Each structure stands twice: as structure tokens, then as C-alpha cells.
Amino acid sequence: MLDNEQELQETEGGGTEQGADTEKTIIEESPISEPSSSDTAVQDKDEEETKATPDSETVEEPVTSKSEEDDKVIEEIEESNAEDAEDVENEKRHHIPFLDYHSMSMENLVGELQRLVKNEKVQAISKHVSSIKYEFDQKFQEFIEQKKEEFVANGGNEIDFRYNSVAKRQFNEVFSEFREKRDQYYKNLEQTLKSNLQRRLEIIEDLKSLVNVEEDINTTYKNFKDLQENWRNAGPVPRNSYNDVWRTYHHHMEIFYDFLHLNRELRDLDFKHNLEEKLKLVEKAEALANEPDLGKAFRELQTLHKIWKEDIGPVAKEQREEVWERFSQATKAMHQRRQEHYHELEKVYEKNLEKKQEIIASITEIANNVTHNHRALQQQIKEIEALRESFFKAGKVPQKVNEQTWSAFKEAVRTFNRNKNAFYKSQKKEQLDNLEKKRALLGLALALKDSDDREMATPEMKRIQSEWKKIGHVPRKYSDKIWNEFKDACNHYFNRLHAEKNESQKEEYENYNQKNACLERLKAFQLTGDNDKDLETLKTFIEEWKSYGRIPYNKKHINGKFNKIVDALFRKLGVSKHESELLRYGDKMQQLVKADDDRAISNERTFIRRKIDESKAEIRQLENNLQFFSNASEDSPLVQDVIKNIDQHKEALETWKAKLKKLNILKHNRNKEAEATDSEDSGEEE
């Protein structure tokens, strides 16, 4: 009746893993005795929606003898026939397959529920709907818990969590439609069933009165047949009254047949006909032992029992026990087949349990070793999804460990989600820190993009670009914006720099062309023999060369060519390398004087002093090395090479000292000029 949802969970143990294949369908479609009461048609709606809780204790059934166990199948058939007799449309439930609801997604469960409510009789799909609802609620609970964990992991407060699920809203709408149809159906059915029950009870009373009536036996028999016909047309009754009413009816039928001993011919004729029909049913029941489809065989057996009870009357007393025993034995044989089948299914369920335990172990392993790398974590998420799919497709497990297995699975997945969310939460904090660092670099880039101080700005821009690369990711919603702003600032500066470089390179190439022309003239120069004149000519070449300024970096080799030719000409004129160096340095001194730049002079003095220190250090090192050759001959090539290096460094040292002396003189003269200028200024003031 209205408690179909509750009945399903009481008889099928919560339905966490509904069967999908044929074997599972046989089990779930087999009629099972269900608790009933006289007012099942009007049970409270809140009771209808009561769900079996995972934590409810399992009550163990008392141990029963084999005969008692065998008799259960007959009771089971009677209860199922009572349910079907209440409404002939209800019998269609046997032919609506139970799909593998456990492996379906929430969206697919909604679709299947819509299909059933739209196309099937509402009283035939109650158990299907209850199974779908149970699975949907389980999956939705898991889904919503995951979303809540993500919400909290992202900094939200659990009390503020809200989630609008389209699938949940659609499911509720379709389920409400089912409840309305179901409630209306049973509301209309209730009065009819009560009326039919009253009519059948009245027929039984009329049947009872036939035994004591004083009239012609033929008239009595005719009245009996009329009552039988009325009984067949009396309509369905509430299932909880069905078996009792039929047993009472058959009991009084047998009494009436015993009463017919006054007209043995009529009685025996009926007994013979009934016996023939019941033997046919017995033969059909015995033949079901060869039916390969166990589900089909059991449903056929139910039909045979229904015909036995509703359509065929009693047989002679001496044959009643025998014929019923044959029919009962055929029924028990079917029961034995089912038990063996269930035993084989249990073996399959045990293997399924092993698979699911392996899957749970794999999920747990990943959950306890969540990577701290986004890309690798995305791969782990895919692995978890694949394992979840495998879990749902692994099939049913033994009922006694069903809830335990499901809980272990959910906990393993939940652990992974918690650890995953914890990683992304920490990553988000790190990304926010990275965002602040990049904003600081962006501020520097914006401040420098229009700078004209190339010596300071260029290395600084290169530094902040290098720093930018070292900083990790920022939140996705800021990533593109801040990168584009930083890139535009850097491009703005370096585009300006490159434009200026291109302009300056034109001047450098012009200087190179002029130096190249000067070099060609130097190559063509021939000494005249007048050393003073030739020396002045060489000084002129050097001065001209220095006047051309910077040349492109990749053309600087031309300076080496020029110096090599000048040194060769100086040697021909009898000028030492030391003297030629000082002559060339004299030109540089003139440039420093013209530049009138104290900072440039100071940098030059620092450079020369460093060179002097380097030369002294090299000389000391070489002289120390020479001590290791105290036993070696002075003619040794190695000794000669060290002595040659010492002489070269000493010559270079003298040259650097001479340059420093010239520079000191220049500095002294500039100081005297500055003092004279200051004296003149003070005199004017006085």
C-alpha cells in the first residue's frame, strides 16, 4: 500500500547497492513477505518517507528447522499473491527490471525516475522508486559534503554554506509527482477494497448457511454455484485480509462438499474435475525444475499457486493430502534451487567485496599521499574518479558488510577531498603572497618605464624581470591582468631603450667607418727617415683615432689592428713599448682635461691603482715560484719563461706608475687652478 518505500528498505536491507544484472534482478523481484496492517492504505506520509538508517542494528533471525525454512517459500508466495491480488496492475512490478541504480549518476537517476513515473503504473514502481531515492540521497549527501568541505577550505564559514543543485530540485519535483499519484491512487482504492472485503465476507456467511438449509439438494447446489460465481466477481480485497479470507472461504467450501454426501454424484463430479485441474498444476510446477530462468520460474510458480487457491475448488478428502504434498514438494524444490542460486551469488558478492576493498585501499593510499603539485594533483583527482567509477561498477557485496563497505568508501574519498582542499587552501594563501610580491614589482616597473637614467634603470628593470620569473603563481582571476600590466611597462621601457640604441648605433657605425679609413691610411703610411717628423705623424694618427668615440661592440677588433701597426712603427723609430704606451696615454689625458670631469679622473686613478696592485701581486707570485727552481739551471726553458714573465710585469708596472704620476700631476694642477679661482673669487668679494 502506501508504505512501499519503507517495505523496500525493510525487505532489501537499505538498497545501498541495487542489482543490475539478471541474477540480481531475480533476487530483488522475488516476492518477499512484507509487514502489513489493516490500515496500510492510509499510513501517515511522514512514515512513508522514513528511510532505513545505516547505523540501525541488524536483528539476527532465529535458527529454524529445514521444514520450517521450506515452508517459508509457500508463505512468501502467498504474501506476494496477496499483494498482486489487491490490484492486478501491481503484478507488472515483476516485469519492470531493476537497473543498476548504485552505479548511476544523480542525473541518470533523475532521468530513470522520470521515465518510470511517466510510463508505468504508480502501484507497480514503488520499490523501484524507493531504491532510486535511496541511491540518490546517498550520492547527493556525498556530493553536498564535498562541496561544503571545499567551501570551508576556501575560507567560508560552514554556517553560511548554501548550494543550489539542479539535479536535487528536479528529483524533488518528480518524486513529489510520484507521491501525489500514489496517494491519490490508494485513496481511491481504499473504499473499493473495503467494500469488496465486506461483500466476500457476506458470501462466506451465505455459504455457511447452505449447510443447514432445508430445501431440495439440487436447488442448494445451484445456490452454491451462484455463490462461487459471485465470489469470483467480488473484486480485490486488502492484502492483509487476502489469505485469511481465502482460507475461510475454502474451509466452508470443503464443509459444503462434505455436506453433499446426500448427493454423491454432484460432489464426485466436482471433485474429479478439481483433481484433474490440480494435477495439471502439479505437473506444471514440477516441470519448472527444468526452467533455466529462475526468476521466470518463480513468477510462474506464483501464478500456479494463485490459480490453485482462487480458481480450483477442493478434491476428495482421501486425495487432498497427497495432491497438496506433490504441489508442495514442487514448490520446495524451487525453493531449494533459489537457495543454491543465492549461495552462488554470495560467492560472487564475496569476490565483489574483495574488489571493493582493493579499490578503497587504493583510494586511501592516494588520500594519505596527496601531492603538493597542482599538475600532479589533477592527475590524482582523475585517478580517484576512475576508482570511484570502478567501485560503483564492482557489483553487490554481502548484505552484512554492505553499510560498512559503503562507509569505508565514503571516508576514503572524504579524506582525499579534505587533503586536496587543504593543499589548495595553502596554495591560495601562497598565491595571495605571490600577488603582493608581483604588485610590488609592477609598481617598480611603472616607476622606471619612463626613466632617462639608463645606467640605473636598465639593470634594475632586468633585475625585477628576473625576480618576477622566480615568483610562483597568483590567483587565476588576477593572473592575466597583472601580467599584462607588467609586460606593458617592461615593453614600454625597453622599446624606448632599443629605439635610442638604434639611433646611437648609427653614430657608432659612422665612427667605425671613420676609424677604418684612418686604419687604411696608417697602413699606407711610410716612414720618411725623419724620426721627429714621423713621431709627430704617428701622434696625429693616435689623436685622430681617439677622437672618433665608441664603435659597435662586434667591431672592436679594429682597435687591436690599429695598436699593432702603431707599435710596429714605434719600434722602427726606436721608441720602446713603455714610451709608446705613455704617448698614447697622453692623448687620453688630454681627453680627461677636455671633459673636465672630476669623477672620470677619480675613476681613472682607481683603475690604475688596481692595475698597479695586480702587477705587484703577479710579480711576487712569480718570484715565489722561481724559488722552487733554486736547483734548476738558469738555462732551463721553464726558468727562462718565469723570468720573462717577471720582466714583462715589471715593465707594465713601471708603465702604470708613470701613468699614475701623469694623472697625479693632472690632479695637482687642477687643484691649484681651483685654489687660484677660489682666491680670485674671495678677492672680488672683499
Side-chain angles (χ1 to χ4, degrees):
M1 297 289 285
L2 293 183
D3 54 344
N4 289 289
E5 293 173 38
Q6 189 175 0
E7 290 171 353
L8 174 74
Q9 292 162 20
E10 290 172 350
T11 57
E12 297 186 3
T16 306
E17 300 176 3
Q18 300 301 333
D21 53 26
T22 304
E23 292 179 334
K24 297 170 190 172
T25 303
I26 290 171
I27 295 176
E28 292 166 334
E29 291 186 346
S30 297
I32 300 176
S33 299
E34 299 172 344
S36 58
S37 61
S38 59
D39 58 347
T40 50
V42 289
Q43 282 193 4
D44 186 81
K45 291 182 181 179
D46 292 336
E47 184 180 349
E48 295 164 13
E49 298 170 8
T50 301
K51 288 177 58 179
T53 60
D55 297 327
S56 59
E57 296 183 356
T58 302
V59 180
E60 295 185 0
E61 294 183 359
V63 178
T64 59
S65 66
K66 188 176 187 306
S67 60
E68 290 174 335
E69 187 175 318
D70 290 341
D71 289 340
K72 283 184 178 179
V73 69
I74 297 175
E75 295 176 8
E76 186 177 329
I77 291 173
E78 288 184 348
E79 290 295 334
S80 183
N81 282 336
E83 184 177 354
D84 292 344
E86 187 177 66
D87 181 355
V88 293
E89 296 291 348
N90 189 59
E91 190 175 356
K92 291 183 178 179
R93 67 190 170 94
H94 300 304
H95 307 287
I96 301 174
F98 268 82
L99 303 182
D100 188 5
Y101 301 132
H102 185 59
S103 64
M104 287 185 177
S105 66
M106 289 193 295
E107 291 75 14
N108 289 342
L109 288 171
V110 173
E112 179 61 14
L113 180 62
Q114 287 174 327
R115 187 190 69 79
L116 290 173
V117 173
K118 180 179 179 181
N119 300 322
E120 304 293 348
K121 295 292 183 179
V122 67
Q123 64 272 35
I125 60 172
S126 290
K127 292 181 181 179
H128 301 73
V129 172
S130 295
S131 298
I132 292 173
K133 185 177 188 304
Y134 186 88
E135 291 299 337
F136 183 90
D137 288 344
Q138 289 282 337
K139 287 181 171 60
F140 181 73
Q141 182 185 7
E142 180 192 5
F143 172 78
I144 210 70
E145 286 176 357
Q146 180 177 342
K147 291 297 180 183
K148 184 184 292 185
E149 287 177 0
E150 291 175 0
F151 176 76
V152 174
N154 290 328
N157 191 326
E158 184 173 347
I159 197 172
D160 299 325
F161 175 74
R162 300 289 184 276
Y163 192 86
N164 182 23
S165 170
V166 176
K168 177 64 172 173
R169 186 174 67 254
Q170 291 176 338
F171 183 88
N172 288 344
E173 290 173 357
V174 181
F175 187 73
S176 295
E177 180 184 352
F178 164 75
R179 287 179 56 192
E180 289 175 6
K181 287 184 176 181
R182 181 196 60 190
D183 293 350
Q184 186 61 44
Y185 164 77
Y186 285 117
K187 182 179 180 181
N188 296 336
L189 182 64
E190 182 183 4
Q191 291 302 321
T192 302
L193 294 177
K194 287 183 177 180
S195 176
N196 293 342
L197 175 60
Q198 185 60 38
R199 186 179 301 114
R200 287 184 183 272
L201 292 175
E202 291 172 357
I203 292 173
I204 290 173
E205 290 301 319
D206 291 340
L207 181 60
K208 289 164 62 176
S209 66
L210 289 179
V211 176
N212 300 317
V213 70
E214 294 182 1
E215 62 182 5
D216 180 67
I217 193 64
N218 290 325
T219 302
T220 303
Y221 186 74
K222 180 180 181 302
N223 291 335
F224 171 72
K225 286 299 183 182
D226 290 341
L227 289 177
Q228 279 188 313
E229 185 63 25
N230 291 340
W231 180 269
R232 293 189 187 97
N233 298 326
V237 299
R239 75 177 72 170
N240 59 305
S241 303
Y242 173 80
N243 286 310
D244 288 341
V245 170
W246 272 98
R247 276 192 283 269
T248 303
Y249 172 70
H250 279 285
H251 172 69
H252 288 289
M253 280 185 64
E254 290 175 354
I255 291 175
F256 179 78
Y257 275 111
D258 291 339
F259 169 72
L260 283 182
H261 65 278
L262 299 176
N263 193 333
R264 190 177 299 274
E265 183 179 350
L266 288 174
R267 183 187 65 179
D268 291 348
L269 189 63
D270 266 4
F271 281 170
K272 180 181 179 183
H273 171 74
N274 294 341
L275 178 61
E276 290 173 353
E277 293 301 315
K278 287 194 172 183
L279 287 174
K280 290 178 183 179
L281 296 184
V282 169
E283 291 172 358
K284 289 181 179 180
E286 292 172 341
L288 290 176
N290 300 319
E291 170 58 53
D293 187 339
L294 186 58
K296 179 180 177 182
F298 194 83
R299 289 194 297 273
E300 179 64 24
L301 183 62
Q302 287 179 232
T303 303
L304 296 178
H305 272 264
K306 185 175 183 180
I307 295 171
W308 182 287
K309 175 180 286 188
E310 297 184 12
D311 297 342
I312 304 175
V315 299
K317 274 187 176 183
E318 60 272 17
Q319 295 170 319
R320 286 175 191 171
E321 186 66 27
E322 178 185 354
V323 71
W324 169 249
E325 183 62 24
R326 281 188 62 188
F327 191 56
S328 178
Q329 287 302 321
T331 300
K332 291 174 182 178
M334 175 63 68
H335 173 64
Q336 183 61 31
R337 278 189 64 194
R338 292 177 75 218
Q339 290 300 105
E340 292 172 357
H341 177 69
Y342 292 162
H343 183 67
E344 291 301 316
L345 280 183
E346 282 298 319
K347 293 180 181 178
V348 175
Y349 296 163
E350 288 291 341
K351 291 182 179 178
N352 294 344
L353 176 61
E354 292 178 7
K355 292 179 187 176
K356 289 197 169 185
Q357 288 174 336
E358 291 173 0
I359 292 170
I360 292 171
S362 298
I363 294 175
T364 303
E365 174 67 20
I366 297 174
N368 292 333
N369 295 278
V370 170
T371 181
H372 292 153
N373 175 277
H374 170 69
R375 181 171 296 180
L377 184 52
Q378 289 299 308
Q379 181 59 37
Q380 285 186 328
I381 291 173
K382 291 180 181 178
E383 292 175 11
I384 292 293
E385 284 302 315
L387 288 169
R388 288 181 77 255
E389 287 296 317
S390 299
F391 181 88
F392 288 131
K393 293 178 180 178
K396 291 186 69 175
V397 300
Q399 187 64 40
K400 61 185 178 182
V401 295
N402 190 21
E403 291 297 343
Q404 177 185 343
T405 306
W406 174 247
S407 297
F409 167 72
K410 286 199 299 182
E411 181 57 32
V413 174
R414 190 176 293 119
T415 300
F416 172 78
N417 288 331
R418 279 197 295 263
N419 293 339
K420 175 197 68 176
N421 293 337
F423 164 73
Y424 280 120
K425 185 177 181 180
S426 66
Q427 188 181 60
K428 185 177 181 181
K429 183 180 183 301
E430 181 181 339
Q431 288 181 349
L432 289 173
D433 292 341
N434 293 341
L435 178 62
E436 292 304 313
K437 293 176 183 177
K438 287 193 173 183
R439 280 174 173 166
L441 294 181
L442 174 61
L444 287 175
L446 292 172
L448 293 173
K449 70 173 187 174
D450 293 314
S451 175
D452 293 323
D453 187 352
R454 301 291 179 237
E455 291 185 5
M456 178 278 294
T458 300
E460 182 65 5
M461 288 294 280
K462 290 180 178 179
R463 182 190 71 79
I464 63 178
Q465 282 183 320
S466 177
E467 287 294 320
W468 185 280
K469 293 177 181 177
K470 295 175 184 177
I471 299 173
H473 295 289
V474 301
R476 186 182 299 274
K477 63 180 179 180
Y478 302 111
S479 179
D480 291 342
K481 183 175 182 295
I482 194 171
W483 163 244
N484 289 330
E485 290 178 2
F486 181 75
K487 182 178 64 174
D488 291 344
C490 293
N491 288 345
H492 177 81
Y493 175 81
F494 284 107
N495 287 340
R496 287 179 59 233
L497 181 65
H498 293 153
E500 293 174 8
K501 267 191 176 180
N502 291 337
E503 189 63 31
S504 66
Q505 279 186 340
K506 293 180 182 178
E507 183 180 344
E508 289 179 359
Y509 273 100
E510 181 63 29
N511 292 339
Y512 169 73
N513 292 333
Q514 290 175 332
K515 281 193 172 186
N516 197 42
C518 179
L519 179 63
E520 293 301 321
R521 292 198 309 275
L522 180 62
K523 288 179 180 179
F525 171 70
Q526 297 292 329
L527 295 175
T528 62
D530 185 345
N531 287 0
D532 292 337
K533 182 180 179 181
D534 290 338
L535 189 59
E536 287 300 321
T537 302
L538 286 177
K539 288 182 179 179
T540 303
F541 271 112
I542 293 172
E543 185 175 354
E544 178 186 353
W545 188 268
K546 295 286 187 182
S547 67
Y548 291 136
R550 295 181 61 181
I551 62 175
Y553 181 81
N554 60 345
K555 302 294 184 181
K556 286 193 174 183
H557 61 277
I558 197 174
N559 291 327
K561 293 181 179 180
F562 178 82
N563 291 330
K564 188 175 181 180
I565 295 173
V566 168
D567 288 340
L569 291 172
F570 274 136
R571 283 195 299 272
K572 288 181 180 180
L573 293 173
V575 178
S576 67
K577 184 177 181 181
H578 173 72
E579 292 174 325
S580 66
E581 278 284 334
L582 292 178
L583 283 172
R584 282 197 289 271
Y585 193 68
D587 293 331
K588 185 168 186 177
M589 295 279 291
Q590 292 177 11
Q591 291 177 5
L592 290 172
V593 171
K594 289 179 183 178
D596 193 21
D597 186 349
D598 288 339
R599 183 179 177 184
I601 294 172
S602 178
N603 289 340
E604 181 69 15
R605 290 177 78 241
T606 301
F607 173 72
I608 292 174
R609 281 174 176 168
R610 187 167 67 248
K611 285 298 193 180
I612 290 172
D613 292 340
E614 289 176 358
S615 296
K616 287 180 179 179
E618 286 291 336
I619 292 170
R620 282 196 300 271
Q621 183 64 46
L622 289 169
E623 287 177 343
N624 288 335
N625 292 344
L626 194 60
Q627 292 178 4
F628 290 104
F629 301 106
S630 57
N631 297 326
S633 171
E634 291 185 1
D635 297 331
S636 169
L638 190 58
V639 173
Q640 290 294 323
D641 186 55
V642 173
I643 294 173
K644 183 180 177 181
N645 280 338
I646 292 174
D647 291 340
Q648 288 176 348
H649 281 291
K650 285 183 176 181
E651 184 179 354
L653 177 61
E654 291 303 317
T655 301
W656 288 117
K657 286 181 176 180
K659 287 181 179 181
L660 180 61
K661 185 176 181 180
K662 286 180 176 289
L663 200 60
N664 288 335
I665 293 171
L666 174 63
K667 181 69 174 174
H668 178 71
N669 292 338
R670 285 178 60 81
N671 289 339
K672 286 183 66 176
E673 289 175 3
E675 289 174 2
T677 302
D678 291 340
S679 297
E680 291 176 3
D681 292 340
S682 63
E684 291 176 0
E685 290 176 2
E686 292 176 0

